[in-house]
Amino acid sequence: PSASLDYVIEPWFLGPGAEGPGGPEFNDWASSLSSDASSSYVSTPAFLTSVAELPSPSQPRVALISGRTADNPRLLKECIDAGCKCIYLEKPGAPTVKELEEMRDVAAEKGVEVLMGYNKNVCKYVRKTREFAATVPGSHVTFVSNNAYENTPESLGECFERNA
């Protein structure tokens, strides 16, 4: 493989949220990776609670940040400090445009590529739909996303307010 999943950083489900909604399922999944010899992973990823726990990289490192919008500026900086050379940042990325601009500037200064998007493929409804479709011969599923925001400063501001 040209890439491997080496670390999963999950402070909530490995900490205070371990017993709450989603916590037991997350931890069952994490445990199953280390006990499943037929796993599709080349190696079992290490589960950590903080970016600071990452060892120094021995190869190029990529990060996917899927956290609370308010935490993303800090997480991006921590990932850059941890040696990430490319970061996939889920939108909206930061609570304010000013913070996004600061994040862009830090990444550019350090030579780190930042890609922004929303990975809907990991959403439960998408996964369940694809699993169901796989059981129906000849089925075809198309997902259409309608971003209702106009490409204006006013709409962008409202998007950040709603998603902060």
Side-chain angles (χ1 to χ4, degrees):
S2 59
S4 62
L5 175 63
D6 297 322
Y7 303 97
V8 174
I9 299 170
E10 177 47 64
W12 178 249
F13 289 139
L14 294 174
E19 301 301 320
E25 294 84 357
F26 176 86
N27 285 291
D28 287 348
W29 170 73
S31 295
S32 75
L33 291 182
S34 58
S35 63
D36 183 3
S38 66
S39 172
S40 62
Y41 294 101
V42 173
S43 63
T44 302
F47 288 82
L48 310 173
T49 60
S50 167
V51 175
E53 295 177 60
L54 285 170
S56 296
S58 60
Q59 57 193 9
R61 178 175 282 164
V62 175
L64 185 151
I65 298 176
S66 179
R68 290 177 55 241
T69 301
D71 294 337
N72 288 347
R74 173 184 54 81
L75 292 170
L76 182 101
K77 183 177 182 327
E78 289 177 4
C79 288
I80 291 172
D81 291 345
C84 293
K85 297 299 179 193
C86 181
I87 298 172
Y88 182 93
L89 178 64
E90 291 208 344
K91 68 179 186 178
T96 67
V97 172
K98 182 176 189 280
E99 287 172 290
L100 274 176
E101 291 171 341
E102 290 169 355
M103 293 162 70
R104 175 200 61 203
D105 295 345
V106 167
E109 177 184 310
K110 300 289 185 175
V112 174
E113 181 179 22
V114 178
L115 309 168
M116 182 175 268
Y118 177 54
N119 191 354
K120 292 182 174 130
N121 293 328
V122 298
C123 293
K124 187 184 332 182
Y125 73 89
V126 172
R127 181 179 46 81
K128 287 183 178 264
T129 302
R130 287 188 173 152
E131 288 170 358
F132 175 74
T135 68
V136 180
S139 67
H140 178 78
V141 177
T142 301
F143 292 98
V144 178
S145 175
N146 181 16
N147 188 345
Y149 298 109
E150 296 176 28
N151 189 14
T152 65
E154 296 79 22
S155 288
L156 183 61
E158 194 276 329
C159 171
F160 281 112
E161 288 172 18
R162 186 185 313 176
N163 291 294

